[in-house]
Amino acid sequence: MLWIAAAAVVSFVLGVVSATYGQRLAFPFRDSAEE
């Protein structure tokens, strides 16, 4: 049971990191453009 919870947490963290990294690659100037 513990390894299932650990796998879920790791998958969630990797998903968030990959989504954030992907957005920065796609829109490297988005933060400055929105101001």
Side-chain angles (χ1 to χ4, degrees), residues 3-16:
W3 67 271
I4 295 176
V9 172
V10 171
S11 298
F12 176 76
V13 172
L14 287 178
V16 172

Side-chain angles (χ1 to χ4, degrees), residues 8-35:
V9 172
V10 171
S11 298
F12 176 76
V13 172
L14 287 178
V16 172
V17 171
S18 65
T20 302
Y21 189 66
Q23 284 183 353
R24 288 190 180 184
L25 285 180
F27 306 103
F29 51 85
R30 193 181 72 158
D31 290 338
S32 60
E34 286 183 350
E35 290 181 359

